[in-house]
C-alpha cells in the first residue's frame, strides 16, 4: 500500500489527519456527536483516545453509528 | 399482579421487543414503536455515511427505550465480536443481540460460530442474547455458556411464516433456565400469541409490524397479542379432547 494511504469504511484514501479526531472532522463528523464509534485495525478506540491515537499509513478505520435494525 | 420480564439484572413491563427497520418512514416507525408498548428496541450498527448526513437513532429514540444493538448481517465470529464491541462504545451498553448468519438466502444462524462468538463476548462482559435456531441442544449450549437469554427463530427472518415447529419451541421453553424470546418469523398477531402460549417469555419482531399495511395499528395488535398469550400461558389451557364436553349442565334439561 502507498505509504500515505489508509482505508476508511472500506475505501482507500490519502490521509492528512493526524489523529482520529482530525479524521472525523475532515469527514464532517463532530467528535462529540452521540453514537459514533471507531475501530482501527479491528480494535475499538474509545472516545477518550481519539485525540491521542495517531493515524498511520496502512490503518484500516471503521467509523460506525446506530441505524435502524431488527 | 406483577409479571415483569427479567433479562439479566433488568426488569421490563413489556414482553414485546421491536425492531426499527423497514417502516414506510421515520414518523411511522416512531409511532409504531410507541404503540407497541415495547421497552427494548433493536438497532443495527453500520458504517456511517461519509457523503450525507443522516439522523442518529440515539437522538430519535435513545432516551425513551432500552436500545438493543444487533450484529445483523455478520457472517463471521470476528465481524460479530467487533460489531458488538463497536456497539458497546457507540451506545454505552454491554447488551448485544448476537446474530451470525450462515447463509444469505435463508439467513439461518450459523450455530457453531454463534457459540464461539457468544463465549468470547461473555468473557468480555457482554450480556448476550443470541438469535439461534429452534434446536433445543443449541439453546441448551448457549444457556450453559452464560447467555442471558436464548432467542430461537419461529421461521426464517422476514418470512412471516409464524412458528414452523411449535413442539421445539415448547420444548426449549420447558428446558430453559433463561428467558426464551421468540425471534423472527412472526407474521401476524396470532403468531405472537402462540409463542407466548407455548411458554416463551417474550417475542421479538420487526417486519410483521413495519411491513404491514398499517404498522401503528399492527404494533398495537402485537402488544395485545403478547399480553393475551402471556395471560393464557399463566392461566393454563384446558386439555384437548377428542370428543365434545358440554359446558351447560346436563341435569334439568326439559323433556328429560
Amino acid at each position: 500500500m502507498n505509504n500515505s494511504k489508509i482505508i476508511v469504511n472500506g475505501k482507500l484514501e490519502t490521509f492528512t489527519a493526524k489523529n482520529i479526531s482530525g479524521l472525523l472532522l475532515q469527514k464532517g463528523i463532530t467528535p462529540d456527536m452521540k453514537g459514533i464509534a471507531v475501530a482501527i485495525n479491528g480494535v475499538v478506540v474509545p472516545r477518550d483516545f481519539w485525540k491521542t491515537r495517531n493515524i498511520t499509513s496502512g490503518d484500516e478505520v471503521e467509523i460506525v453509528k446506530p441505524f435502524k435494525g431488527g | 399482579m406483577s409479571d415483569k420480564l427479567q433479562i439479566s439484572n433488568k426488569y421490563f413491563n413489556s414482553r414485546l421487543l421491536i425492531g426499527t427497520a423497514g417502516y414506510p418512514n421515520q414518523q411511522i416507525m416512531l409511532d409504531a414503536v410507541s404503540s407497541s408498548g415495547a421497552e427494548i428496541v433493536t438497532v443495527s450498527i453500520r458504517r456511517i455515511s461519509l457523503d450525507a448526513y443522516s439522523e442518529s437513532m440515539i437522538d430519535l429514540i435513545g432516551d425513551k427505550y432500552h436500545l438493543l444493538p444487533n450484529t445483523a448481517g455478520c457472517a463471521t465470529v470476528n465481524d460479530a465480536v467487533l460489531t458488538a464491541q463497536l456497539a458497546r462504545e457507540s451506545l454505552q451498553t454491554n447488551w448485544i443481540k448476537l446474530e451470525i448468519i450462515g447463509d444469505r438466502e435463508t439467513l439461518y444462524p450459523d450455530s457453531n460460530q454463534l457459540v464461539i462468538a457468544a463465549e468470547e463476548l461473555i468473557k468480555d462482559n457482554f450480556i448476550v442474547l443470541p438469535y439461534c435456531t429452534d434446536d433445543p441442544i443449541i439453546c441448551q449450549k448457549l444457556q450453559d455458556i452464560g447467555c442471558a437469554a436464548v432467542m430461537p427463530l419461529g421461521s426464517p427472518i422476514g418470512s412471516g411464516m409464524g412458528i414452523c415447529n411449535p413442539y421445539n419451541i415448547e420444548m426449549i421453553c420447558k428446558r430453559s433456565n433463561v428467558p426464551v424470546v421468540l425471534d423472527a418469523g412472526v407474521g401476524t398477531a396470532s403468531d405472537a400469541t402462540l409463542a407466548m402460549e407455548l411458554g416463551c417469555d417474550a417475542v421479538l419482531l420487526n417486519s410483521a409490524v413495519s411491513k404491514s399495511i398499517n404498522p401503528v395499528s399492527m404494533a398495537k395488535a402485537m402488544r395485545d397479542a403478547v399480553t393475551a398469550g402471556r395471560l393464557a400461558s399463566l392461566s393454563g389451557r384446558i386439555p384437548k379432547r377428542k370428543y365434545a364436553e358440554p359446558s351447560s349442565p346436563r341435569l334439568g334439561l326439559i323433556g328429560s
Side-chain angles (χ1 to χ4, degrees):
Chain A
M1 182 184 286
N2 184 303
N3 63 9
S4 62
K5 299 281 188 183
I6 58 173
I7 294 173
V8 181
N9 285 358
K11 288 184 184 168
L12 187 67
E13 58 180 66
T14 303
F15 75 101
T16 53
K18 185 183 172 198
N19 53 38
I20 294 174
S21 286
L23 178 67
L24 291 175
L25 283 170
Q26 282 184 356
K27 301 291 179 191
I29 304 164
T30 51
D32 59 352
M33 186 188 287
K34 280 190 217 166
I36 305 294
V38 177
I40 297 186
N41 303 329
V43 178
V44 174
V45 182
R47 192 174 283 257
D48 290 348
F49 296 92
W50 286 358
K51 283 185 180 166
T52 52
R53 170 58 165 91
N54 287 343
I55 304 287
T56 56
S57 176
D59 278 346
E60 291 189 30
V61 183
E62 295 285 353
I63 307 169
V64 301
K65 71 172 197 173
F67 278 84
K68 54 195 178 179
Chain B
M1 182 176 71
S2 173
D3 179 37
K4 291 181 185 289
L5 168 67
Q6 181 181 1
I7 300 177
S8 185
N9 61 349
K10 287 191 184 294
Y11 293 86
F12 303 93
N13 291 309
S14 172
R15 291 177 178 272
L16 176 60
L17 292 69
I18 196 163
T20 51
Y23 293 84
N25 61 53
Q26 185 174 288
Q27 191 57 52
I28 290 177
M29 182 270 285
L30 293 172
D31 292 345
V33 170
S34 173
S35 175
S36 75
E39 295 161 279
I40 302 175
V41 173
T42 56
V43 296
S44 64
I45 299 295
R46 291 288 182 268
R47 286 172 169 168
I48 195 168
S49 168
L50 300 177
D51 305 317
Y53 172 79
S54 62
E55 203 154 2
S56 165
M57 290 295 289
I58 296 182
D59 292 333
L60 283 175
I61 57 173
D63 56 342
K64 294 181 187 163
Y65 301 100
H66 179 95
L67 295 188
L68 176 61
N70 66 33
T71 63
C74 290
T76 66
V77 171
N78 282 349
D79 283 355
V81 168
L82 179 57
T83 299
Q85 291 167 338
L86 283 164
R88 178 169 59 185
E89 174 69 12
S90 166
L91 293 167
Q92 300 298 304
T93 178
N94 63 343
W95 286 45
I96 191 75
K97 173 184 165 179
L98 180 61
E99 271 186 69
I100 300 186
I101 59 161
D103 178 285
R104 296 274 169 206
E105 185 179 10
T106 64
L107 297 181
Y108 252 59
D110 182 323
S111 297
N112 291 338
Q113 295 204 82
L114 187 66
V115 172
I116 295 167
E119 277 185 309
E120 201 168 314
L121 288 169
I122 289 163
K123 279 184 199 157
D124 195 13
N125 296 316
F126 277 89
I127 305 295
V128 177
L129 289 75
Y131 163 66
C132 56
T133 53
D134 58 352
D135 172 353
I137 304 306
I138 283 297
C139 288
Q140 184 69 51
K141 279 187 183 172
L142 291 165
Q143 175 186 316
D144 289 347
I145 63 173
C147 290
V150 291
M151 305 210 296
L153 53 80
S155 52
I157 292 172
S159 69
M161 289 200 295
I163 300 175
C164 286
N165 193 337
Y167 309 102
N168 271 21
I169 295 296
E170 189 170 32
M171 193 188 306
I172 289 164
C173 293
K174 280 189 176 154
R175 292 159 52 107
S176 184
N177 293 322
V178 296
V180 178
V181 182
L182 187 93
D183 183 3
V186 169
T188 188
S190 54
D191 298 331
T193 301
L194 176 60
M196 299 304 290
E197 287 174 343
L198 291 170
C200 290
D201 296 277
V203 172
L204 196 166
L205 54 84
N206 189 152
S207 303
V209 166
S210 68
K211 297 194 174 160
S212 67
I213 291 171
N214 188 333
V216 180
S217 63
M218 184 60 94
K220 183 174 182 301
M222 292 301 182
R223 182 191 72 185
D224 293 347
V226 166
T227 302
R230 176 65 178 174
L231 280 173
S233 172
L234 293 177
S235 305
R237 65 157 297 140
I238 62 167
K240 290 181 180 177
R241 312 169 65 98
K242 283 189 175 176
Y243 301 102
E245 172 79 9
S247 50
S248 299
R250 293 167 194 260
L251 288 174
L253 185 65
I254 62 165
S256 61

